[in-house]
Amino acid sequence: MHLPNIILASASPRRKELLEQAGFSFTVIPSQKEEIITRTIPNEIVEELSFQKAQDIALKQTKPALIIGADTIVSLNGTIMGKPSSETQAFQMLHSLQGQTHQVYTGVTIFLQQDSPRFLTFSECTEVTMYPMTEEEIHSYISTKEPMDKAGAYGIQGRCAIYIQKIHGDYNNVVGLPIARLYQELKQFLSFY
């Protein structure tokens, strides 16, 4: 598969790591665009935000490039959780997630910036069930600072792994990028390139 110049429009070290593990060669140019949410359904929210990020970087390119934008949120019984803005909010999120099953949605936009720009947006959903956590365990986890830059206030690949009972779906989607689905979508998308 011939790949044009790839740009990851995200500052997430986890997304960068997943792309590197998959063997992609790319540069990172995070979008600084203010996120504007006009949707209320979880998969539509992440698709909208991933598109905004990819388009923001695409419009600044002077040479042909393939931009990958992504956004992840956690949803529990219809309540959307992004990144916590404080330790208090992180505690509230973790307290509500513990002992429950929630959904993690990641939206991805592939934006091919060339003479006639084209894009493709999709989302992936993974169900995650967490073991019960005591308040002491939650406070101890928050004290590591790990929850502060993660949707739903936890990292499945980090210290919170000991509280993950089971997942149904793509593990990497919970980390922040459904890398296998991205590869399959890219193959199809670029076959028309």
Side-chain angles (χ1 to χ4, degrees), residues 34-49:
E34 183 186 348
E35 296 180 350
I36 300 165
I37 300 172
T38 64
R39 309 298 178 111
T40 55
I41 299 167
N43 67 304
E44 293 179 2
I45 292 171
V46 291
E47 288 177 13
E48 178 176 48
L49 293 176

Side-chain angles (χ1 to χ4, degrees), residues 105-116:
Y105 293 88
T106 297
V108 180
T109 295
I110 303 164
F111 203 115
L112 187 59
Q113 184 67 4
Q114 53 180 9
D115 296 337
S116 53

